[in-house]
Amino acid sequence: MRNESLFERLQDRPIARVVVNSAVTVLSVLLCLIISPTRLPGMELAGIGPNWLLIWVVAWSVKRSVLQGALAGLALGLIQDGMTAHTPTHVVSLVLVGVLTARLRKERYLREDFISVALIAFAMAVMAETVTAIQYSIQGGRSLVEIWTYHQLIALGSAVLSSLWAPIIYFPLNRWWQQMSLLEQQS
């Protein structure tokens, strides 16, 4: 009994499996929330850090439905808006990230997980920063030249760092979710 793995213990306990899976998912979101304002060496480029919540939404949405991706983007967008200024909202960009990532069906185009997750995170970070720049443009108060000049730096910096760090979040979570899926199928 002592040498039983966690997965073996959870195999015959569906309620425990749901609780543990939910706890791991929520703790991973909390970890991304905690490290979002952190700027450690290697996590910053020109004063810009990776978008950890975007990375989490990409990791979640890669193998899920469009609705699940949209709901993850909505929830994390609202949380990020609660932690930062509510304008421009992060909800629009993260919902869009969740929907587009879920619609990609990456298995059709790219086989290698490391490369595909990095490319998806790069593209989604550029898209999310563009949505934010559009919101600033509509909002007014700043010149369009200033907004779009900074957009280039922010979008590129965020995209590069998010794509480099995305596999660090994706692989452990993806492995966990695959194991939970296998347990669901076996019971």
Side-chain angles (χ1 to χ4, degrees):
M1 192 75 163
R2 283 188 185 153
N3 293 334
E4 259 188 326
S5 74
L6 175 63
F7 297 112
E8 291 169 346
R9 290 181 187 177
L10 293 175
Q11 188 170 7
D12 298 328
R13 299 178 178 122
I15 294 174
R17 188 171 47 240
V18 169
V19 169
V20 171
N21 190 32
S22 299
V24 167
T25 302
V26 168
L27 287 174
S28 67
V29 170
L30 289 175
L31 176 67
C32 287
L33 285 170
I34 290 169
I35 61 176
S36 284
T38 308
R39 296 292 185 256
L40 298 173
M43 289 176 58
E44 184 178 37
L45 184 64
I48 301 157
N51 189 335
W52 292 104
L53 296 179
L54 178 135
I55 293 169
W56 195 94
V57 171
V58 166
W60 173 266
S61 302
V62 162
K63 295 182 180 175
R64 290 200 169 63
S65 71
V66 171
L67 179 63
Q68 290 171 322
L71 290 175
L74 175 68
L76 274 95
L78 289 171
I79 292 170
Q80 190 168 9
D81 283 350
M83 291 177 56
T84 61
H86 64 282
T87 43
T89 182
H90 298 91
V91 172
V92 176
S93 58
L94 289 179
V95 167
L96 199 54
V97 165
V99 168
L100 292 177
T101 302
R103 296 241 4 197
L104 275 177
R105 301 288 179 236
K106 75 170 188 67
E107 292 84 13
R108 192 182 321 163
Y109 306 108
L110 299 167
R111 298 275 183 229
E112 181 61 45
D113 272 349
F114 180 83
I115 294 168
S116 62
V117 168
L119 287 173
I120 292 167
F122 185 92
M124 294 301 150
V126 169
M127 188 271 314
E129 295 302 337
T130 302
V131 168
T132 302
I134 290 169
Q135 289 181 50
Y136 275 122
S137 298
I138 292 170
Q139 191 176 347
R142 296 181 185 179
S143 74
L144 291 178
V145 173
E146 179 186 9
I147 291 169
W148 290 100
T149 301
Y150 284 121
H151 167 261
Q152 295 171 16
L153 174 67
I154 293 168
L156 186 59
S158 177
V160 166
L161 288 170
S162 295
S163 67
L164 290 174
W165 285 96
I168 305 294
I169 299 296
Y170 172 76
F171 281 121
L173 286 175
N174 185 50
R175 181 159 165 79
W176 174 263
W177 291 327
Q178 283 178 339
Q179 290 293 329
M180 290 292 106
S181 178
L182 286 174
L183 288 177
E184 284 294 322
Q185 292 172 2
Q186 291 173 359
S187 46

